[in-house]
Amino acid sequence: MSIIKLLPENVANQIAAGEVVQRPSSVVKELLENSIDSGAQTIKLYIKDAGKTLIQVIDNGSGIDKDDLKLCCLRHATSKITNSKDLFNLKTMGFRGEALSSIASVSQITITSNCLEDSNLGNQIKIEGGKQTAFNEVVAIKGTSISVKNLFYNIPARRNFLKSDNVELKHIIDEFHRIALSNHKINFVFTNNDNELFNLNKSIFKERIIRVFGRSSEQKLIPVEENTEIAKIKGFVFKPEYSRKTRSSQFFFINGRFIKNNHLHHAIKTAYKGLILDDYHPSYFIKIDVPLETIDVNIHPNKTEIKFDNDQSIYAILISSVKHSLGQFNISPTIDFNSNVNLNTPYSFKDKSANIPRVEYDQAFNPFNNLKNPVDVKSKDFVFESYESDDKLNVVDEMNLGLSDSLPAFQLDSRYVITKNRAGLVIINQKRAQQRIMYEVFLKELSNKKNPSQTLLFPLKLEFDNSEIEYLKSIKSSLIHLGFKFTVFDDNLIEISAVHPFLNHELINNLFQDFIEYGDISENKLSHTLNDLVAKVLSKHSSYNTNVKTNQKAIEMMVNNLFACKDSRISPFGKLIHKSISLSEISNFFK
Ligand code: ADP
Ligand code: MG
């Protein structure tokens, strides 16, 4: 008896949807690409609840006629290719005819379209879970509007798998960045829950980058350009001093399509060698145009990976052109003939250079000394406020783990503390101990009602991109609770006016970078709750100046505080804090 069956169309579509539609941002990508392929000049994206409730894209492109509207949600229905030869001459973003059928099989979709300039009548099709539920003539202007409601409503397992709104919104913003950058000649509007996140007029590439990443990115850009027969390279890299610990703002566009490619990324990193620290990453916006027949886009359902015929040559060309630009920039200010970007800078600011933020801090500040006593900030550069000296900083308690009262302890190499317990000798990694102590302090403080806060006399301005700002907003309340004060301004700036007094103020910038690097907790291996993540990152930063020669009293207090911790063995980052050498091991040394 035959046991092989052909799957029903809607089941096949749901399986295909698993590849094409992973999350709301995949829908956003596919719908925006369809609008671009339709020749639209203006594309508007509206989402609700990070796309979980609604994703709507409205364009003024070619529109879809009545007959095609009935077909466009069928699998492999495409107007973009007709035979396999076309696969190697692709000028459109889509071609597989899978997106609408996949999306329609896992959501409630309504497509309204009119393909005629001089008519205000169009058609509307509604499909739920892959089944057509309505088809009507409706009033519509030329173009297409597609709304996708309740993604994965019919696959609860997938819907439950979606991350928090913040995470999903970040994915959507990332996708939007890619599409808005590579299609700078198109107007885009992007609104989330009635909050307009982007309103971008068509412009040259450079202006689009500045519009997307904030006005101050203009001064960071160095142009890169190279024309060869195998590839035309055009774009920008960030000056080395603006490299960051996070791998953000890295874009390759091959023939207008955003792609991920480690090989090309490696080429850029190589060009920066010696100019940036190893764990820092350059930002770049590189468009590479190659002859259509030399690439294969059809190797990945999302088309974000591409095979090149000439990847070795392109690798070499990329290194040399980026190196050349970086070199030019080091010798003389780059002359950029596209610099007449009109960003409506008020005249009086135009010729002024940006003020470099300066933070004054108390050099003598040592978190060891402050553990037991209420924080006493002597530096005149800080205005101290709202500190309540209840028991919250008193992490020393009666638990003593057999350490003797007088605690003989001394420092070795400014990095280790040696002490003893009943069993023998204990070697403590000073930095990790400090992280553990501070981690537990911060965790405890997060459950306090009110925390100490130090107002900076000179507020610090830091810049982030939109998705990073959205993320920082999401952790803002925890940070405020811990004594931070910051305001989010337009233009991707945040202004920090107060911090927790235990922090090394010199490193606040790095601290915020780390919040972003460790990122959203729902995708985070380090922590499962926001409070925990915040406490971990803060503990890391409060331990920076730990490896210094410290006075005896502070050493002893550190040892006490460490062994009063809930877990004194493992640092918040999973590393061993101390190791013992037992008396019997010691006696073995002398056998
Ligand atoms: P593909 O883009 O790979 O062709 P899709 O499933 O994304 O496949 O879309 C199917 C077809 O529907 C497209 O080939 C196109 O003809 C039509 N279509 C989809 N979106 C639009 C749009 N916004 N404007 C005009 N036509 C569209
Ligand atoms: Mg498509």
Tab-separated table of all heavy atoms in Angstrom, residues 34-35 37-38 59 62-64 72 77-80 94-101 144 146, ligand 1:
chain	number	residue	atom	x	y	z
A	34	ASN	N	8.610	43.752	-1.606
A	34	ASN	CA	7.588	43.711	-2.670
A	34	ASN	C	7.231	45.121	-3.126
A	34	ASN	O	7.051	45.375	-4.313
A	34	ASN	CB	6.326	42.993	-2.174
A	34	ASN	CG	6.475	41.475	-2.253
A	34	ASN	OD1	7.386	40.969	-2.916
A	34	ASN	ND2	5.594	40.757	-1.582
A	35	SER	N	7.121	46.044	-2.166
A	35	SER	CA	6.786	47.426	-2.539
A	35	SER	C	7.901	48.038	-3.373
A	35	SER	O	7.642	48.762	-4.332
A	35	SER	CB	6.558	48.277	-1.285
A	35	SER	OG	5.413	47.813	-0.605
A	37	ASP	N	9.986	46.385	-5.322
A	37	ASP	CA	9.892	45.764	-6.650
A	37	ASP	C	8.756	46.357	-7.480
A	37	ASP	O	8.786	46.320	-8.699
A	37	ASP	CB	9.665	44.243	-6.511
A	37	ASP	CG	10.943	43.509	-6.080
A	37	ASP	OD1	12.029	44.099	-6.205
A	37	ASP	OD2	10.829	42.341	-5.621
A	38	SER	N	7.731	46.893	-6.805
A	38	SER	CA	6.588	47.427	-7.556
A	38	SER	C	6.870	48.827	-8.072
A	38	SER	O	6.003	49.439	-8.695
A	38	SER	CB	5.345	47.453	-6.661
A	38	SER	OG	5.409	48.581	-5.787
A	59	ASP	N	1.980	51.243	-0.326
A	59	ASP	CA	2.899	51.831	-1.304
A	59	ASP	C	2.140	52.471	-2.444
A	59	ASP	O	0.936	52.276	-2.591
A	59	ASP	CB	3.882	50.755	-1.812
A	59	ASP	CG	3.223	49.686	-2.665
A	59	ASP	OD1	2.443	50.019	-3.595
A	59	ASP	OD2	3.481	48.478	-2.405
A	62	SER	N	3.125	49.870	-8.586
A	62	SER	CA	2.361	49.477	-9.780
A	62	SER	C	0.959	48.964	-9.471
A	62	SER	O	0.072	49.041	-10.309
A	62	SER	CB	3.126	48.366	-10.498
A	62	SER	OG	3.186	47.229	-9.638
A	63	GLY	N	0.753	48.450	-8.259
A	63	GLY	CA	-0.532	47.833	-7.943
A	63	GLY	C	-0.638	46.442	-8.545
A	63	GLY	O	0.237	46.004	-9.305
A	64	ILE	N	-1.683	45.719	-8.134
A	64	ILE	CA	-1.879	44.335	-8.604
A	64	ILE	C	-3.259	44.287	-9.245
A	64	ILE	O	-4.234	44.771	-8.646
A	64	ILE	CB	-1.831	43.352	-7.413
A	64	ILE	CG1	-0.555	43.564	-6.574
A	64	ILE	CG2	-1.915	41.898	-7.883
A	64	ILE	CD1	-0.522	42.783	-5.268
A	72	CYS	N	-1.808	35.948	-6.208
A	72	CYS	CA	-0.512	36.325	-5.618
A	72	CYS	C	-0.215	35.604	-4.308
A	72	CYS	O	0.943	35.534	-3.894
A	72	CYS	CB	-0.400	37.834	-5.456
A	72	CYS	SG	-1.537	38.517	-4.262
A	77	ALA	N	3.830	31.770	-6.887
A	77	ALA	CA	3.198	32.730	-7.803
A	77	ALA	C	4.055	33.984	-7.799
A	77	ALA	O	4.187	34.657	-6.786
A	77	ALA	CB	1.792	33.061	-7.312
A	78	THR	N	4.671	34.241	-8.935
A	78	THR	CA	5.514	35.436	-9.035
A	78	THR	C	5.397	36.048	-10.414
A	78	THR	O	5.197	35.327	-11.396
A	78	THR	CB	7.000	35.103	-8.737
A	78	THR	OG1	7.756	36.299	-8.856
A	78	THR	CG2	7.566	34.044	-9.666
A	79	SER	N	5.501	37.364	-10.463
A	79	SER	CA	5.500	38.035	-11.764
A	79	SER	C	6.934	38.358	-12.179
A	79	SER	O	7.153	39.016	-13.174
A	79	SER	CB	4.685	39.329	-11.644
A	79	SER	OG	5.207	40.107	-10.585
A	80	LYS	N	7.919	37.878	-11.369
A	80	LYS	CA	9.263	38.429	-11.556
A	80	LYS	C	10.203	37.568	-12.387
A	80	LYS	O	11.158	38.073	-12.953
A	80	LYS	CB	9.863	38.746	-10.188
A	80	LYS	CG	8.995	39.807	-9.501
A	80	LYS	CD	9.313	40.045	-8.060
A	80	LYS	CE	8.195	40.873	-7.425
A	80	LYS	NZ	8.350	41.028	-5.989
A	94	GLY	N	12.490	40.201	-4.857
A	94	GLY	CA	11.813	38.906	-4.768
A	94	GLY	C	11.904	38.169	-6.087
A	94	GLY	O	12.247	38.751	-7.107
A	95	PHE	N	11.652	36.891	-6.076
A	95	PHE	CA	11.575	36.102	-7.313
A	95	PHE	C	11.077	34.699	-7.029
A	95	PHE	O	10.691	33.963	-7.925
A	95	PHE	CB	12.933	36.037	-8.036
A	95	PHE	CG	14.040	35.481	-7.193
A	95	PHE	CD1	14.272	34.111	-7.140
A	95	PHE	CD2	14.846	36.323	-6.440
A	95	PHE	CE1	15.298	33.593	-6.350
A	95	PHE	CE2	15.876	35.814	-5.660
A	95	PHE	CZ	16.100	34.441	-5.607
A	96	ARG	N	11.023	34.304	-5.757
A	96	ARG	CA	10.676	32.919	-5.444
A	96	ARG	C	9.180	32.701	-5.311
A	96	ARG	O	8.720	31.559	-5.232
A	96	ARG	CB	11.385	32.485	-4.161
A	96	ARG	CG	12.896	32.433	-4.334
A	96	ARG	CD	13.631	32.334	-3.018
A	96	ARG	NE	13.305	31.163	-2.244
A	96	ARG	CZ	14.165	30.191	-1.931
A	96	ARG	NH1	15.400	30.249	-2.351
A	96	ARG	NH2	13.794	29.174	-1.197
A	97	GLY	N	8.412	33.800	-5.244
A	97	GLY	CA	6.963	33.666	-5.154
A	97	GLY	C	6.509	32.925	-3.909
A	97	GLY	O	5.509	32.204	-3.928
A	98	GLU	N	7.237	33.108	-2.828
A	98	GLU	CA	6.907	32.355	-1.614
A	98	GLU	C	6.393	33.244	-0.497
A	98	GLU	O	5.742	32.758	0.423
A	98	GLU	CB	8.175	31.692	-1.049
A	98	GLU	CG	8.669	30.553	-1.828
A	98	GLU	CD	9.989	30.052	-1.245
A	98	GLU	OE1	10.766	30.876	-0.716
A	98	GLU	OE2	10.221	28.853	-1.327
A	99	ALA	N	6.746	34.531	-0.553
A	99	ALA	CA	6.521	35.357	0.629
A	99	ALA	C	5.035	35.483	0.951
A	99	ALA	O	4.610	35.130	2.063
A	99	ALA	CB	7.146	36.729	0.430
A	100	LEU	N	4.245	35.954	-0.027
A	100	LEU	CA	2.829	36.182	0.299
A	100	LEU	C	2.115	34.882	0.663
A	100	LEU	O	1.311	34.850	1.592
A	100	LEU	CB	2.121	36.896	-0.856
A	100	LEU	CG	2.515	38.369	-1.046
A	100	LEU	CD1	1.653	39.026	-2.127
A	100	LEU	CD2	2.404	39.172	0.252
A	101	SER	N	2.430	33.790	-0.027
A	101	SER	CA	1.750	32.531	0.313
A	101	SER	C	2.139	32.077	1.716
A	101	SER	O	1.299	31.599	2.485
A	101	SER	CB	2.063	31.444	-0.718
A	101	SER	OG	3.453	31.212	-0.774
A	144	THR	N	-0.645	49.658	-3.528
A	144	THR	CA	-1.048	48.453	-2.799
A	144	THR	C	-0.940	48.689	-1.297
A	144	THR	O	-0.006	49.351	-0.832
A	144	THR	CB	-0.111	47.282	-3.187
A	144	THR	OG1	-0.157	47.123	-4.602
A	144	THR	CG2	-0.518	45.980	-2.517
A	146	ILE	N	-1.029	46.277	2.119
A	146	ILE	CA	-1.127	44.906	2.637
A	146	ILE	C	-1.093	44.973	4.148
A	146	ILE	O	-0.180	45.582	4.720
A	146	ILE	CB	0.036	44.029	2.117
A	146	ILE	CG1	0.041	44.021	0.588
A	146	ILE	CG2	-0.056	42.617	2.678
A	146	ILE	CD1	1.012	43.043	-0.061
B	1	ADP	P1	7.956	37.405	-5.159
B	1	ADP	O1	8.210	38.762	-4.591
B	1	ADP	O2	9.053	36.461	-4.913
B	1	ADP	O3	7.537	37.462	-6.600
B	1	ADP	P2	5.755	37.347	-3.332
B	1	ADP	O4	5.002	36.241	-2.725
B	1	ADP	O5	6.475	38.269	-2.433
B	1	ADP	O6	6.736	36.748	-4.401
B	1	ADP	O7	4.733	38.207	-4.191
B	1	ADP	C1	3.977	37.551	-5.222
B	1	ADP	C2	3.617	38.516	-6.332
B	1	ADP	O8	2.656	39.454	-5.860
B	1	ADP	C3	4.763	39.352	-6.821
B	1	ADP	O9	5.520	38.675	-7.812
B	1	ADP	C4	4.061	40.576	-7.361
B	1	ADP	O10	3.614	40.346	-8.678
B	1	ADP	C5	2.836	40.692	-6.498
B	1	ADP	N1	3.007	41.727	-5.446
B	1	ADP	C6	3.242	41.499	-4.142
B	1	ADP	N2	3.326	42.664	-3.436
B	1	ADP	C7	3.132	43.650	-4.335
B	1	ADP	C8	3.088	45.086	-4.251
B	1	ADP	N3	3.265	45.735	-3.081
B	1	ADP	N4	2.841	45.782	-5.386
B	1	ADP	C9	2.677	45.140	-6.564
B	1	ADP	N5	2.700	43.800	-6.711
B	1	ADP	C10	2.928	43.051	-5.624
